[in-house]
Amino acid sequence: MRRQGHLIIISGPSGVGKGTVCEALKKMRPDLKVSISATTRKKRPMEKDGENYFFYTKEEFNALIDEGALLEFAQVHGNYYGTPKAYVMEQLGQGEDVILEIDVQGAMQVKQNMPGGVFIFLLPPHRDDLEARIRKRGSEDEDSIHLRLFNAKKEISMLHDYDFAVVNDEVSRCAEMVSHIIDAENQRIDAKLIENYWEEFHD
Ligand code: 5GP
């Protein structure tokens, strides 16, 4: 039974471990397609262009906006990030479920344009965990750490706009929970499923 895939949006404050959870989820669920974002942020030493992000200059990023090539975009912690539209639409059209790991501003744009999305917010077990994790990562300078902690409060205040909240107390448990949410979404009764079943039964 062919259906449109689900768009799964995962947000959460910097340091909550979104990247690690998404990595675990990818291993657990190779069926999921993960969108690779475009960004103007500097590449971190361990990152690869085209794997973690597509790294662009500000001019190149602006050109993507002008071409309408981004599903959403936002300025986050002083850099621009956006979701390339073509890949997402293509995968959804083929019935694949697609994961976007994006900030709350971007998520709200997606919510307006694609209301069928599944919006999941990852929370830290404790507020102090965020700072410890950002520092441990060692990739941010002091200004960036403060900006990310300041933004964390604003992001958590948007929780009510999401469908599900999952506490990342343990990566594998958190990834499993997200996987269960996706499974549940795939069992949802919608007009398309009823129509398909009806047709099959009357063949
Ligand atoms: P980082 O610089 O730590 O990789 O990511 C910083 C923030 O940007 C995170 O909150 C991440 O979810 C968000 N982000 C990553 N890609 C996108 C994107 O395509 N769109 C938006 N709006 N935010 C993104």
Side-chain angles (χ1 to χ4, degrees):
M1 201 183 305
R2 201 123 180 100
R3 58 154 183 84
Q4 174 94 353
H6 287 116
L7 188 56
I8 321 288
I9 297 93
I10 300 185
S11 301
S14 184
V16 78
K18 293 184 297 277
T20 326
V21 170
C22 286
E23 277 306 311
L25 187 64
K26 262 198 288 186
K27 289 209 180 93
M28 210 177 271
R29 300 280 303 251
D31 57 307
L32 298 175
K33 305 293 168 191
V34 181
S35 157
I36 300 172
S37 297
T39 185
T40 61
R41 159 163 88 54
K42 278 207 203 92
K43 191 157 74 68
R44 293 177 186 149
M46 299 302 286
E47 289 181 327
K48 288 202 181 107
D49 196 4
E51 237 175 68
N52 304 90
Y53 283 104
F54 294 109
F55 294 94
Y56 289 108
T57 62
K58 185 77 193 13
E59 291 68 34
E60 289 168 337
F61 195 92
N62 281 337
L64 292 177
I65 298 173
D66 292 345
E67 288 161 19
L70 300 177
L71 185 63
E72 59 73 36
F73 65 93
Q75 193 179 8
V76 191
H77 314 318
N79 296 299
Y80 285 90
Y81 297 82
T83 304
K85 194 196 265 174
Y87 176 79
V88 173
M89 302 317 279
E90 189 184 292
Q91 296 300 323
L92 292 177
Q94 291 173 11
E96 305 288 352
D97 293 338
V98 181
I99 301 270
L100 304 186
E101 191 238 285
I102 62 176
D103 90 310
V104 292
Q105 307 168 74
M108 292 309 108
Q109 291 171 40
V110 175
K111 199 169 185 180
Q112 280 202 328
N113 301 333
M114 306 182 77
V118 184
F119 293 79
I120 304 175
F121 198 92
L122 301 191
L123 286 167
H126 305 288
R127 188 205 166 276
D128 295 348
D129 295 343
L130 291 181
E131 181 164 359
R133 273 154 111 159
I134 298 172
R135 287 191 186 281
K136 196 168 151 208
R137 200 160 66 192
S139 56
E140 311 305 321
D141 60 26
E142 204 57 30
D143 284 349
S144 176
I145 292 172
H146 285 125
L147 183 60
R148 281 166 185 259
L149 289 172
F150 174 77
N151 288 341
K153 270 194 194 159
K154 284 202 290 189
E155 295 194 33
I156 292 175
S157 74
M158 302 289 288
L159 195 56
H160 60 274
D161 282 310
Y162 284 74
D163 302 311
F164 298 95
V166 182
V167 174
N168 183 20
D169 45 5
E170 200 210 317
V171 173
S172 59
R173 192 203 73 88
C174 183
E176 256 171 40
M177 199 56 79
V178 173
S179 175
H180 292 327
I181 293 169
I182 298 168
D183 285 339
E185 205 55 38
N186 280 315
Q187 305 307 312
R188 195 182 281 281
I189 295 171
D190 59 17
K192 193 81 195 150
L193 181 128
I194 294 171
E195 191 185 317
N196 286 340
Y197 246 97
W198 195 247
E199 277 169 15
E200 269 187 29
F201 264 81
H202 285 78
D203 270 351

Short mmCIF file of all heavy atoms in Angstrom, two decimals, residues 10-14 18 36-39 41 44 47 53 72-74 76-77 79 81-84 101-107 109 137 140 148 155, ligand 1:
data_model
loop_
_atom_site.label_atom_id
_atom_site.label_comp_id
_atom_site.label_asym_id
_atom_site.label_seq_id
_atom_site.Cartn_x
_atom_site.Cartn_y
_atom_site.Cartn_z
N ILE A 10 12.78 16.83 14.59
CA ILE A 10 13.36 16.69 15.93
C ILE A 10 14.08 17.98 16.31
O ILE A 10 14.96 18.44 15.58
CB ILE A 10 14.34 15.49 15.99
CG1 ILE A 10 13.57 14.21 15.64
CG2 ILE A 10 15.00 15.39 17.36
CD1 ILE A 10 14.37 12.93 15.77
N SER A 11 13.66 18.58 17.41
CA SER A 11 14.32 19.79 17.91
C SER A 11 14.71 19.59 19.36
O SER A 11 14.31 18.60 19.99
CB SER A 11 13.37 21.00 17.85
OG SER A 11 12.92 21.25 16.56
N GLY A 12 15.43 20.54 19.87
CA GLY A 12 15.84 20.50 21.28
C GLY A 12 17.01 21.43 21.46
O GLY A 12 17.71 21.74 20.48
N PRO A 13 17.25 21.90 22.67
CA PRO A 13 18.33 22.87 22.89
C PRO A 13 19.71 22.30 22.60
O PRO A 13 19.90 21.08 22.64
CB PRO A 13 18.19 23.22 24.38
CG PRO A 13 17.46 22.08 24.97
CD PRO A 13 16.57 21.53 23.90
N SER A 14 20.64 23.20 22.30
CA SER A 14 22.02 22.81 22.06
C SER A 14 22.54 22.06 23.28
O SER A 14 22.31 22.48 24.41
CB SER A 14 22.85 24.08 21.82
OG SER A 14 24.16 23.74 21.49
N LYS A 18 20.97 15.91 20.41
CA LYS A 18 20.14 15.59 19.22
C LYS A 18 20.93 14.78 18.20
O LYS A 18 20.44 13.80 17.67
CB LYS A 18 19.67 16.88 18.52
CG LYS A 18 18.70 17.70 19.30
CD LYS A 18 18.23 18.88 18.48
CE LYS A 18 19.33 19.85 18.12
NZ LYS A 18 19.68 20.84 19.11
N ILE A 36 20.15 16.23 5.20
CA ILE A 36 21.41 16.93 5.54
C ILE A 36 21.19 18.41 5.29
O ILE A 36 20.83 18.83 4.19
CB ILE A 36 22.58 16.38 4.70
CG1 ILE A 36 22.74 14.88 4.98
CG2 ILE A 36 23.87 17.13 5.01
CD1 ILE A 36 23.74 14.18 4.08
N SER A 37 21.40 19.19 6.34
CA SER A 37 21.13 20.63 6.27
C SER A 37 22.25 21.39 5.57
O SER A 37 23.40 20.94 5.54
CB SER A 37 20.98 21.20 7.68
OG SER A 37 19.88 20.63 8.31
N ALA A 38 21.88 22.57 5.09
CA ALA A 38 22.86 23.53 4.59
C ALA A 38 23.18 24.49 5.73
O ALA A 38 22.30 24.80 6.53
CB ALA A 38 22.25 24.31 3.42
N THR A 39 24.43 24.90 5.84
CA THR A 39 24.76 25.88 6.89
C THR A 39 25.91 26.80 6.47
O THR A 39 26.73 26.42 5.61
CB THR A 39 25.14 25.18 8.22
OG1 THR A 39 25.34 26.18 9.23
CG2 THR A 39 26.42 24.37 8.11
N ARG A 41 27.74 27.86 9.06
CA ARG A 41 28.65 27.70 10.21
C ARG A 41 29.96 27.06 9.74
O ARG A 41 29.99 26.30 8.79
CB ARG A 41 27.97 26.81 11.27
CG ARG A 41 28.96 26.17 12.22
CD ARG A 41 28.40 25.64 13.47
NE ARG A 41 27.90 24.28 13.47
CZ ARG A 41 28.57 23.19 13.09
NH1 ARG A 41 29.78 23.28 12.53
NH2 ARG A 41 28.01 22.01 13.19
N ARG A 44 33.39 21.87 11.87
CA ARG A 44 34.19 21.43 13.02
C ARG A 44 35.19 20.37 12.53
O ARG A 44 34.93 19.71 11.52
CB ARG A 44 33.27 20.82 14.10
CG ARG A 44 32.35 21.86 14.72
CD ARG A 44 31.39 21.24 15.72
NE ARG A 44 30.43 22.21 16.20
CZ ARG A 44 29.19 21.91 16.57
NH1 ARG A 44 28.75 20.68 16.51
NH2 ARG A 44 28.37 22.86 17.00
N GLU A 47 33.94 17.05 11.30
CA GLU A 47 32.80 17.04 10.37
C GLU A 47 33.24 16.90 8.91
O GLU A 47 34.34 17.31 8.54
CB GLU A 47 31.99 18.32 10.55
CG GLU A 47 31.24 18.33 11.86
CD GLU A 47 30.41 19.58 12.06
OE1 GLU A 47 30.83 20.67 11.60
OE2 GLU A 47 29.36 19.48 12.70
N TYR A 53 26.84 18.26 7.29
CA TYR A 53 26.15 19.42 6.72
C TYR A 53 26.68 19.62 5.30
O TYR A 53 27.74 19.10 4.94
CB TYR A 53 26.50 20.70 7.50
CG TYR A 53 25.79 20.87 8.83
CD1 TYR A 53 26.47 20.63 10.02
CD2 TYR A 53 24.48 21.29 8.89
CE1 TYR A 53 25.84 20.80 11.26
CE2 TYR A 53 23.84 21.47 10.12
CZ TYR A 53 24.52 21.22 11.29
OH TYR A 53 23.89 21.38 12.49
N GLU A 72 12.90 25.38 4.75
CA GLU A 72 12.87 26.34 5.86
C GLU A 72 14.30 26.78 6.07
O GLU A 72 15.23 26.08 5.68
CB GLU A 72 12.30 25.71 7.14
CG GLU A 72 13.05 24.48 7.67
CD GLU A 72 14.40 24.76 8.32
OE1 GLU A 72 14.52 25.80 8.97
OE2 GLU A 72 15.33 23.95 8.14
N PHE A 73 14.47 27.93 6.70
CA PHE A 73 15.82 28.33 7.10
C PHE A 73 15.71 29.28 8.28
O PHE A 73 14.67 29.90 8.51
CB PHE A 73 16.60 28.99 5.95
CG PHE A 73 16.02 30.30 5.49
CD1 PHE A 73 16.48 31.49 6.02
CD2 PHE A 73 15.01 30.32 4.55
CE1 PHE A 73 15.95 32.71 5.61
CE2 PHE A 73 14.46 31.53 4.13
CZ PHE A 73 14.93 32.72 4.67
N ALA A 74 16.80 29.37 9.05
CA ALA A 74 16.78 30.25 10.22
C ALA A 74 18.20 30.60 10.61
O ALA A 74 19.14 29.88 10.26
CB ALA A 74 16.10 29.53 11.39
N VAL A 76 20.59 30.62 13.56
CA VAL A 76 20.68 29.94 14.86
C VAL A 76 22.08 30.15 15.42
O VAL A 76 23.06 29.86 14.73
CB VAL A 76 20.43 28.40 14.71
CG1 VAL A 76 20.27 27.75 16.07
CG2 VAL A 76 19.23 28.10 13.83
N HIS A 77 22.16 30.65 16.64
CA HIS A 77 23.45 30.91 17.30
C HIS A 77 24.39 31.69 16.38
O HIS A 77 25.59 31.40 16.30
CB HIS A 77 24.14 29.60 17.71
CG HIS A 77 23.25 28.61 18.39
ND1 HIS A 77 22.32 28.95 19.34
CD2 HIS A 77 23.15 27.26 18.26
CE1 HIS A 77 21.69 27.86 19.75
NE2 HIS A 77 22.16 26.82 19.10
N ASN A 79 24.60 31.77 13.06
CA ASN A 79 24.86 31.23 11.71
C ASN A 79 23.54 30.86 11.06
O ASN A 79 22.52 30.71 11.74
CB ASN A 79 25.73 29.97 11.81
CG ASN A 79 27.10 30.27 12.36
OD1 ASN A 79 27.86 31.04 11.78
ND2 ASN A 79 27.40 29.70 13.51
N TYR A 81 21.15 28.22 8.93
CA TYR A 81 20.92 26.79 8.70
C TYR A 81 19.64 26.64 7.89
O TYR A 81 18.68 27.38 8.11
CB TYR A 81 20.72 26.05 10.03
CG TYR A 81 21.89 26.06 10.98
CD1 TYR A 81 22.14 27.15 11.81
CD2 TYR A 81 22.74 24.97 11.06
CE1 TYR A 81 23.20 27.15 12.70
CE2 TYR A 81 23.80 24.95 11.95
CZ TYR A 81 24.03 26.04 12.77
OH TYR A 81 25.08 26.03 13.65
N GLY A 82 19.60 25.67 7.00
CA GLY A 82 18.37 25.46 6.25
C GLY A 82 18.27 24.04 5.72
O GLY A 82 19.27 23.33 5.57
N THR A 83 17.04 23.63 5.42
CA THR A 83 16.78 22.27 4.92
C THR A 83 16.60 22.27 3.40
O THR A 83 15.66 22.90 2.90
CB THR A 83 15.47 21.73 5.55
OG1 THR A 83 15.59 21.79 6.96
CG2 THR A 83 15.20 20.30 5.10
N PRO A 84 17.49 21.61 2.66
CA PRO A 84 17.30 21.51 1.21
C PRO A 84 15.96 20.83 0.89
O PRO A 84 15.67 19.73 1.40
CB PRO A 84 18.49 20.67 0.75
CG PRO A 84 19.52 20.84 1.82
CD PRO A 84 18.74 20.97 3.09
N GLU A 101 16.54 17.37 11.68
CA GLU A 101 17.01 17.77 13.00
C GLU A 101 17.26 19.26 12.92
O GLU A 101 18.29 19.70 12.40
CB GLU A 101 18.29 16.99 13.33
CG GLU A 101 18.74 17.09 14.75
CD GLU A 101 20.13 17.65 14.88
OE1 GLU A 101 21.09 16.91 14.60
OE2 GLU A 101 20.25 18.83 15.23
N ILE A 102 16.28 20.05 13.34
CA ILE A 102 16.33 21.49 13.11
C ILE A 102 15.89 22.27 14.36
O ILE A 102 15.31 21.69 15.27
CB ILE A 102 15.46 21.92 11.90
CG1 ILE A 102 14.00 21.60 12.14
CG2 ILE A 102 15.95 21.23 10.63
CD1 ILE A 102 13.08 22.08 11.01
N ASP A 103 16.16 23.58 14.36
CA ASP A 103 15.82 24.37 15.54
C ASP A 103 14.33 24.74 15.54
O ASP A 103 13.61 24.46 14.57
CB ASP A 103 16.71 25.63 15.61
CG ASP A 103 16.08 26.78 14.89
OD1 ASP A 103 15.66 26.60 13.72
OD2 ASP A 103 15.96 27.87 15.48
N VAL A 104 13.90 25.36 16.63
CA VAL A 104 12.46 25.64 16.78
C VAL A 104 11.92 26.63 15.73
O VAL A 104 10.78 26.47 15.28
CB VAL A 104 12.13 26.19 18.20
CG1 VAL A 104 12.32 25.12 19.26
CG2 VAL A 104 12.94 27.41 18.54
N GLN A 105 12.74 27.60 15.33
CA GLN A 105 12.25 28.57 14.33
C GLN A 105 11.95 27.87 13.01
O GLN A 105 10.92 28.09 12.38
CB GLN A 105 13.29 29.65 14.06
CG GLN A 105 13.83 30.36 15.27
CD GLN A 105 15.06 31.17 14.88
OE1 GLN A 105 14.94 32.21 14.23
NE2 GLN A 105 16.24 30.71 15.25
N GLY A 106 12.89 27.00 12.63
CA GLY A 106 12.72 26.24 11.39
C GLY A 106 11.53 25.29 11.51
O GLY A 106 10.74 25.13 10.57
N ALA A 107 11.40 24.67 12.69
CA ALA A 107 10.31 23.72 12.91
C ALA A 107 8.95 24.41 12.75
O ALA A 107 8.02 23.86 12.16
CB ALA A 107 10.43 23.09 14.29
N GLN A 109 8.31 26.99 10.87
CA GLN A 109 8.08 27.24 9.43
C GLN A 109 7.55 25.97 8.77
O GLN A 109 6.63 26.00 7.97
CB GLN A 109 9.36 27.66 8.74
CG GLN A 109 9.88 29.02 9.16
CD GLN A 109 11.28 29.27 8.59
OE1 GLN A 109 11.59 28.93 7.46
NE2 GLN A 109 12.13 29.87 9.40
N ARG A 137 31.96 18.90 24.68
CA ARG A 137 32.14 18.78 23.24
C ARG A 137 33.37 19.56 22.78
O ARG A 137 34.03 19.20 21.81
CB ARG A 137 30.87 19.33 22.56
CG ARG A 137 30.66 18.88 21.18
CD ARG A 137 29.21 19.05 20.77
NE ARG A 137 28.78 20.44 20.72
CZ ARG A 137 27.51 20.83 20.62
NH1 ARG A 137 26.55 19.95 20.59
NH2 ARG A 137 27.20 22.11 20.58
N GLU A 140 32.95 24.87 21.06
CA GLU A 140 32.46 26.25 21.09
C GLU A 140 33.35 27.13 21.96
O GLU A 140 33.89 26.67 22.97
CB GLU A 140 31.03 26.29 21.68
CG GLU A 140 30.05 25.30 21.11
CD GLU A 140 29.91 25.36 19.61
OE1 GLU A 140 29.91 26.48 19.05
OE2 GLU A 140 29.82 24.29 18.98
N ARG A 148 24.33 29.81 23.30
CA ARG A 148 23.59 28.54 23.20
C ARG A 148 22.76 28.29 24.46
O ARG A 148 21.63 27.80 24.38
CB ARG A 148 24.57 27.38 22.92
CG ARG A 148 24.97 27.32 21.46
CD ARG A 148 26.15 26.44 21.16
NE ARG A 148 26.51 26.58 19.75
CZ ARG A 148 26.19 25.71 18.80
NH1 ARG A 148 25.55 24.61 19.08
NH2 ARG A 148 26.53 25.94 17.55
N GLU A 155 14.16 28.15 23.45
CA GLU A 155 13.70 26.96 22.70
C GLU A 155 12.76 26.12 23.55
O GLU A 155 11.72 25.67 23.06
CB GLU A 155 14.91 26.14 22.24
CG GLU A 155 15.76 26.90 21.26
CD GLU A 155 16.77 26.03 20.53
OE1 GLU A 155 16.46 24.86 20.28
OE2 GLU A 155 17.85 26.53 20.23
P1 5GP B 1 25.12 22.88 15.43
O1 5GP B 1 25.84 24.12 15.04
O2 5GP B 1 25.36 22.54 16.87
O3 5GP B 1 25.39 21.73 14.49
O4 5GP B 1 23.55 23.17 15.27
C1 5GP B 1 23.02 24.30 15.90
C2 5GP B 1 21.52 24.29 15.80
O5 5GP B 1 21.10 24.41 14.43
C3 5GP B 1 20.84 23.04 16.34
O6 5GP B 1 19.77 23.46 17.18
C4 5GP B 1 20.32 22.37 15.11
O7 5GP B 1 19.15 21.62 15.38
C5 5GP B 1 20.01 23.54 14.22
N1 5GP B 1 19.93 23.18 12.81
C6 5GP B 1 20.68 22.27 12.14
N2 5GP B 1 20.28 22.18 10.88
C7 5GP B 1 19.23 23.02 10.74
C8 5GP B 1 18.37 23.37 9.65
O8 5GP B 1 18.46 22.87 8.54
N3 5GP B 1 17.43 24.30 9.90
C9 5GP B 1 17.27 24.89 11.11
N4 5GP B 1 16.29 25.78 11.25
N5 5GP B 1 18.05 24.58 12.15
C10 5GP B 1 19.02 23.67 11.97
#
